[in-house]
Amino acid sequence: MNEMILISIYIFVLAIFVGFEVITKVPPLLHTPLMSGSNAISGITIVGAILSAGHGESLLATILGLLAVISATINVVGGFMVTDRMLGMFKKDKKQEAK
Amino acid sequence: MELDLITKIVYLVASVMFILGLKKLSSPKTAQKGNLYALIGMLLAIAVTLFDQGILDYTYIIVGVIIGGLIGAISAKKVAMTDMPQMVALFNGFGGIASTFVAYSEYVKAAGVVGTTDVVISMILSLLIGTVTFTGSLIAFLKLQGWMTSAPIVFKGQSFFNGLILVATVVLGVLFEFDNSIEMYLLIIVAISAILGVTSVIPIGGADMPVVISLLNSYSGLAACATGFVLSNNVLIIAGALVGASGLILTNIMCVAMNRSLANVLFGAVGVEGGTTASGSGEKKTVTRYTATDAGMIFDSAESVIIVPGYGLAVAQAQHVLQELASLLEARGCKVRYAVHPVAGRMPGHMNVLLAEANVDYEKIVEMDMINEDFQETDVALVIGANDVINPAARYKKESPLYGMPILDVDKAHRVMIIKRSLATGFAGEDNELFYDEKTMMLFGDAKGMVTEMVKAVKEL
């Protein structure tokens, strides 16, 4: 086991703790937007997908990369947009307009 | 080297933006801004990645982003709020499969020499979790969409079979570690992971779907994390860990709200008998039918009303007319609030979104723990499309599947109105004594039709 993987494990463990701390403070009112929003964040795989799709040397790797970019982009774009749409409904001023 | 350093710093900024974004979700006032923060973090991470020197050809990236972006945008715009659970399930699935594709692509790029053991382990985890998330989410989607029976599907030795798949994955992983050039091992791992996703979600019944979606949400984060380990990319590890933690917390909240252990939800196959009508343990109980006009008369003198919405309300699309009724009552000086059980709806927090969509002020939506004390001072508790979450049997009836589940203390209110189609039991198959209580007014009918009649009755007062 090299140094780098150890640092990554450190980061992983600490991030889990940060996640627990931050997310326990989200009220049940917003649990659905939390799920769709965190879903969008898990679309961060798009970073890896871009690197795979742009590699350009192996056709198979590139095609897998393309499929990864498509899936991850659906996750990112869809996730953030739908969360924004939902959170807009929790705004008070917007409600007045609607009435 | 310079660029590499900049990339890593930008990834750190992106990670901080994700954390800040989630932090801002702690209040509905700042939540939308929080989502924007997370989006900015994502765009930063994507932008800096595009400068990577390993990228030789942008064609596939652009094509992928356009296709994925269009699909994502259209579905996000079009989805009805009632269908949010299946949409989130589907998005979870895409997140999972993206991890599988990236990990496999990494293997292809490495041309048979993956490298150290930790990369091999990460790669196998990435393929396993990503694929399980994908097929599991598809099954959850099919169940929620009603394209597949929501009843549990069980076969003999299911848990053993699933365990066997996990063992096989480990064995194949070890074999693969000895010889990275044998691609067949990885292909088999992907194939059996796909099967595992299906066989682990089909035995879970419709009522337990909130738990499953939360868990799959967590998996999609962990899959991203594993991919992060494959690529030695910290932003993936951090973002994935945040999502993994979030999904786990929600899973736990859902389990507590149903007083079930996670193991019981996953392996219990609750609801398999499919009992839908009250079996009635011998004694014939009588129920008095009331009409909307009767309800109107009660509302006439009511000073406080707590509305208890269940998923039946959303199915009947009655939230908007309910809001109309609430406004009418408020105009008459009545205090109206909504009591929402944690498992109301098909995913965590689902009912709140449905009410917000119907323009209900979120400050009037009160959580179970905060409102239970108030029922005893409330004139009318109006229950629409909810059943198990108000069943008093949960408090004392030890042999009931509901026993121990926290419920809304609707029975403490002065009058209880229950709008329901029939006397059928809820998911748990437990008869509800509250239906036969003399202070209960049973209003049989479709939620939307009945509330519409109530609106008319109140207007005529």
Side-chain angles (χ1 to χ4, degrees):
Chain A
M1 191 183 277
N2 59 25
E3 188 96 355
M4 229 166 83
I5 192 85
L6 200 61
I7 293 173
S8 293
I9 292 173
Y10 265 67
I11 291 172
F12 171 67
V13 172
L14 293 176
I16 292 262
F17 276 94
V18 172
F20 269 99
E21 283 305 312
V22 172
I23 286 144
T24 37
K25 298 205 173 69
V26 178
L29 181 74
L30 297 176
H31 276 170
T32 297
L34 167 67
M35 278 185 89
S36 60
S38 62
N39 206 282
I41 294 176
S42 77
I44 187 69
T45 318
I46 193 168
V47 167
I50 287 172
L51 296 176
S52 297
H55 189 254
E57 278 172 30
S58 148
L59 183 65
L60 179 60
T62 310
I63 288 175
L64 286 168
L66 170 68
L67 293 173
V69 172
I70 294 175
S71 322
T73 311
I74 293 176
N75 216 339
V76 170
V77 175
F80 281 120
M81 279 180 68
V82 89
T83 309
D84 188 66
R85 202 180 132 200
M86 269 191 277
L87 291 174
M89 294 173 185
F90 285 96
K91 265 195 170 166
K92 282 194 170 170
D93 45 337
K94 205 174 163 189
K95 256 167 231 164
Q96 304 306 326
E97 285 168 33
K99 275 178 193 172
Chain B
M1 202 61 228
E2 191 86 356
L3 184 66
D4 188 46
L5 191 68
I6 295 171
T7 307
K8 281 185 175 148
I9 292 171
V10 174
Y11 282 166
L12 175 64
V13 175
S15 307
V16 172
M17 294 300 276
F18 292 151
I19 295 169
L20 288 178
L22 288 171
K23 212 169 143 62
K24 287 208 175 291
L25 269 181
S26 59
S27 156
K29 291 191 186 77
T30 55
Q32 209 168 13
K33 199 183 266 176
N35 189 46
L36 192 66
Y37 276 32
L39 173 64
I40 292 170
M42 185 63 71
L43 292 177
L44 282 174
I46 293 172
V48 76
T49 308
L50 290 173
F51 285 102
D52 191 282
Q53 278 153 342
I55 300 176
L56 305 171
D57 182 2
Y58 284 90
T59 328
Y60 290 96
I61 299 174
I62 296 167
V63 170
V65 168
I66 291 174
I67 297 175
L70 278 176
I71 298 174
I74 292 170
S75 29
K77 280 247 178 257
K78 292 228 160 144
V79 64
M81 287 301 140
T82 36
D83 295 340
M84 198 52 73
Q86 47 267 54
M87 164 119 270
V88 169
L90 213 52
F91 282 170
N92 275 335
F94 284 121
I97 196 75
S99 296
T100 306
F101 285 137
V102 173
Y104 209 92
S105 170
E106 278 304 301
Y107 173 74
V108 175
K109 272 199 260 177
V113 196
V114 178
T116 48
T117 312
D118 52 69
V119 180
V120 171
I121 295 175
S122 312
M123 189 173 276
I124 287 165
L125 279 178
S126 194
L127 295 174
L128 170 73
I129 306 173
T131 313
V132 166
T133 309
F134 178 62
T135 53
S137 298
L138 279 187
I139 298 293
F141 167 78
L142 292 174
K143 284 191 172 216
L144 288 160
Q145 185 74 23
W147 290 352
M148 195 180 138
T149 171
S150 72
I153 299 170
V154 283
F155 58 84
K156 222 177 161 192
Q158 199 155 8
S159 302
F160 177 74
F161 179 78
N162 292 346
L164 209 62
I165 289 183
L166 283 176
V167 172
T169 308
V170 174
V171 172
L172 288 163
V174 172
L175 290 172
F176 177 73
E177 162 65 14
F178 283 125
D179 189 353
N180 287 177
S181 65
I182 305 179
E183 193 174 356
M184 189 49 79
Y185 293 146
L186 289 189
L187 287 172
I188 297 175
I189 288 178
V190 172
I192 59 177
S193 302
I195 296 171
L196 179 62
V198 174
T199 53
S200 51
V201 176
I202 52 169
I204 299 167
D208 291 337
M209 276 302 145
V211 181
V212 181
I213 311 176
S214 311
L215 198 61
L216 289 168
N217 191 223
S218 179
Y219 286 175
S220 75
L222 295 177
C225 237
T227 313
F229 278 102
V230 175
L231 303 170
S232 311
N233 188 324
N234 290 332
V235 72
L236 261 77
I237 296 177
I238 296 173
L242 293 173
V243 179
S246 162
L248 276 184
I249 291 174
L250 293 173
T251 307
N252 185 45
I253 291 174
M254 290 297 109
C255 284
V256 170
M258 296 195 295
N259 190 41
R260 309 258 305 278
S261 69
L262 185 57
N264 182 266
V265 172
L266 297 182
F267 309 117
V270 166
V272 74
E273 308 90 344
T276 41
T277 42
S279 48
S281 50
E283 77 227 82
K284 273 275 172 210
K285 288 174 277 190
T286 51
V287 168
T288 327
R289 283 169 182 270
Y290 288 85
T291 65
T293 323
D294 301 330
M297 255 130 49
I298 300 291
F299 280 136
D300 192 18
S301 58
E303 283 171 8
S304 53
V305 174
I306 295 179
I307 299 171
V308 179
Y311 190 63
L313 172 83
V315 173
Q317 287 291 323
Q319 6 0 354
H320 295 274
V321 63
L322 179 65
Q323 157 68 6
E324 196 186 339
L325 177 67
S327 305
L328 276 175
L329 291 175
E330 279 170 340
R332 298 173 58 86
C334 178
K335 184 182 183 192
V336 181
R337 284 177 299 168
Y338 295 80
V340 175
H341 193 278
V343 291
R346 283 289 177 278
M347 70 186 287
H350 193 198
M351 190 51 67
N352 300 300
V353 172
L354 296 171
L355 291 175
E357 190 193 17
N359 288 330
V360 172
D361 180 354
Y362 63 79
E363 279 171 6
K364 288 182 194 141
I365 306 173
V366 193
E367 290 163 40
M368 176 170 67
D369 298 338
M370 311 291 279
I371 206 163
N372 260 349
E373 299 253 305
D374 296 358
F375 275 107
Q376 48 188 348
E377 292 139 26
T378 300
D379 294 326
V380 180
L382 172 62
V383 180
I384 306 169
N387 187 355
D388 288 342
V389 296
I390 57 156
N391 194 337
R395 288 198 206 109
Y396 64 88
K397 204 171 170 188
K398 285 213 170 72
E399 66 277 14
S400 164
L402 292 175
Y403 180 69
M405 175 171 128
I407 57 164
L408 287 160
D409 297 333
V410 167
D411 54 329
K412 304 237 165 87
H414 303 162
R415 293 300 303 243
V416 182
M417 292 181 192
I418 300 176
I419 301 179
K420 238 181 149 293
R421 284 174 181 278
S422 67
L423 280 177
T425 61
F427 276 112
E430 179 70 43
D431 199 9
N432 196 334
E433 67 195 65
L434 197 54
F435 298 166
Y436 315 99
D437 196 306
E438 54 182 32
K439 72 176 170 193
T440 302
M441 300 170 70
M442 292 301 291
L443 298 137
F444 291 108
D446 164 68
K448 192 172 186 176
M450 189 53 81
V451 178
T452 312
E453 280 180 49
M454 281 181 169
V455 168
K456 254 186 249 159
V458 172
K459 274 185 183 158
E460 281 164 13
L461 288 175

